[in-house]
Every structure is written in C-alpha cells, then in structure tokens.
Amino acid sequence: MSYPHGAELYRGKAKTVYATADADLLLLHYRDDTSAFDGEKKAALSRKGMVNNHINAFVMTRLAEAGVPTHFVRLVGPQESLVRRLSMVPVECVVRNVAAGSLVRRLGVTEGQRLAPPLYELFLKNDDLHDPMISEDHALAFGWASAADLKRMRELSLQVNAVLTPLFADAGITLVDYKLEFGRQAGELLLGDEFTPDGCRLWDAGSGERLDKDRFRRDLGGVVEAYEEVARRLGVDLPAGE
C-alpha cells in the first residue's frame, strides 16, 4: 500500500480498515478476496480489489455530486481509498427494483418481477445471525437506530436509487437491488461502506446476464471480467496494467 497508514483496525470479508495520522480519516484497502454465504465460500480473484476500489470511487463521486453525503474522500492507490471515520449504524438498508435473491426465496415471487415503487427493507448487520430482516420497530426497541436515523436512511437510500438507476440504465445495466450502510461523523449521517458489484445485483439490460457477485455465488465464472465490464460501461478509468 502506498498511502501511509497506522494500525489495522478491522478486517472484513473483502476490505481491511487502517488508521491514519488523522483521527477523522481511515484507509480502506480493497483486497482481492471474495466470499459468499456468510463466508462459507471464499476465493481470491486477481484484480478484483482494484476494480472494486475504482467502481466505488466513481459511484460515490456521482452520489456526492447529486447531494448524497458520503464518507468517501479520494482514491490514494490502486486498491486504497481514504474515507471519513464513521460510527456505523448496525442496520443494512436494501432497495429492490427487481425481485431477486432472498426476496424470491422468502416470498415465492417470480425472479425478475419489476417492483414499482421500489421495495425498501432493513436487515440487522450480524454475520453470526445471517443478517436477519428487521423492522423499524426492532431498530427502535433495541437501540440500533433512532427514529431520525431511520427516516434519514430511508430518504438517502431512495435518493441513491433515483441517482443510480438511470446512471446504470444509460450503461445498458439494470440496477436490480443493492445494500447500503450508514454511519455518523460529527452528528451527520453519511453513506459508508462501498457501492460495488459485491453489494448489489446488476443485470445486462438486454440479455439479463449477471454482472455482479452472483457469478461467484452461482459458479458462473468470469467474476472479475464482469466487474471490469461494469467499469467499462460506466466509464470508470481503471489503471493500465493492473
């Protein structure tokens, strides 16, 4: 890693978080690791960290330009980004434009069914419990989020949808669904974590081909190549020779 950093603070499934000399900033290192099914299936895929780092930077920049407050500061290396340190809310916000994944399994609905208006769901961020679905009442009762947090998270999640759905559509990609995480810095709620094909479903608008982590989940192969195709269509400038 090229950017000066301090101690390792947290090692997730695909990213490592490091301290920096500035207490308000962190370094995110996007590793080549990938996993599915709560870490039961794992692999290291060359170039994946670099591609995800640059896709995330592109998306976060577009969201910030549209008025969505994010923790992203800037790229500092092929697999590194500088971000604001957040106190994370342990609730994942999921927005669904098309029925897929756990929604299909839970409700028996048809995969590919368009959802209008988009469906908004909450899940507790807890790998040991397999990220169970929760309601706003659960979040309030157990102190996971305040009423103001929940209202703002919903607003921002749907604002993200309004920005990114046409952005991906212009690239010939259907934004099927995605998850978001939020946190606080200096009292302000910001979008945290990442927005990459690891955390959303992206289908080719014509063929329906998967261009996201479902390629890994379903053993379809070509995971990194699909991510690179997403980057190419969006106009993400990937480093040459990485």
Side-chain angles (χ1 to χ4, degrees), residues 28-43:
L28 291 189
H29 176 71
Y30 286 76
R31 306 194 312 273
D32 288 336
D33 298 335
T34 192
S35 66
F37 313 119
D38 294 323
E40 293 180 7
K41 181 178 181 180
K42 300 178 182 178

Side-chain angles (χ1 to χ4, degrees), residues 89-94 121-125 131 179-181:
V89 178
V91 174
E92 296 180 344
C93 304
V94 173
E121 298 177 327
L122 300 177
F123 295 83
L124 178 64
K125 186 172 174 60
D131 298 334
K179 73 174 182 67
L180 302 177
E181 296 181 28

Side-chain angles (χ1 to χ4, degrees), residues 70-85:
T70 84
H71 73 152
F72 178 77
V73 177
R74 65 180 185 274
L75 287 169
V76 294
Q79 293 177 235
E80 305 161 39
S81 284
L82 199 63
V83 300
R84 296 174 180 86
R85 182 193 290 263

Side-chain angles (χ1 to χ4, degrees), residues 33-219:
D33 298 335
T34 192
S35 66
F37 313 119
D38 294 323
E40 293 180 7
K41 181 178 181 180
K42 300 178 182 178
L45 303 173
S46 178
R47 307 189 312 281
K48 174 178 172 284
M50 176 274 291
V51 176
N52 270 356
N53 186 32
H54 285 76
I55 289 176
N56 179 69
F58 177 89
V59 171
M60 289 289 183
T61 300
R62 294 299 179 275
L63 290 175
E65 290 170 349
V68 177
T70 84
H71 73 152
F72 178 77
V73 177
R74 65 180 185 274
L75 287 169
V76 294
Q79 293 177 235
E80 305 161 39
S81 284
L82 199 63
V83 300
R84 296 174 180 86
R85 182 193 290 263
L86 303 182
S87 176
M88 299 303 293
V89 178
V91 174
E92 296 180 344
C93 304
V94 173
V95 177
R96 303 180 185 275
N97 295 306
V98 180
S102 66
L103 181 67
V104 172
R105 294 191 297 273
R106 280 187 278 124
L107 301 182
V109 296
T110 302
E111 183 179 63
Q113 178 180 338
R114 296 277 174 167
L115 304 172
L119 184 62
Y120 177 75
E121 298 177 327
L122 300 177
F123 295 83
L124 178 64
K125 186 172 174 60
N126 188 314
D127 287 343
D128 292 338
L129 298 177
H130 307 291
D131 298 334
M133 188 177 178
I134 62 172
S135 68
E136 289 192 354
D137 285 347
H138 286 106
L140 292 170
F142 294 106
W144 296 324
S146 69
D149 286 339
L150 292 168
K151 181 175 184 292
R152 184 62 171 152
M153 288 159 62
R154 182 185 180 94
E155 290 173 350
L156 290 174
S157 296
L158 295 177
Q159 184 180 353
V160 166
N161 204 44
V163 175
L164 295 188
T165 297
L167 179 71
F168 280 100
D170 288 345
I173 298 171
T174 299
L175 179 56
V176 175
D177 57 33
Y178 56 89
K179 73 174 182 67
L180 302 177
E181 296 181 28
F182 295 90
R184 287 191 169 279
Q185 185 183 81
E188 183 182 9
L189 196 68
L190 306 177
L191 175 62
D193 196 39
E194 66 178 87
F195 197 105
T196 72
D198 273 4
C200 63
R201 285 188 174 85
L202 304 170
W203 294 353
D204 179 87
S207 67
E209 179 185 6
R210 269 66 172 173
L211 301 172
D212 54 67
K213 198 165 74 170
D214 273 349
R215 299 198 68 84
F216 180 69
R217 296 185 185 97
R218 300 184 180 198
D219 295 316

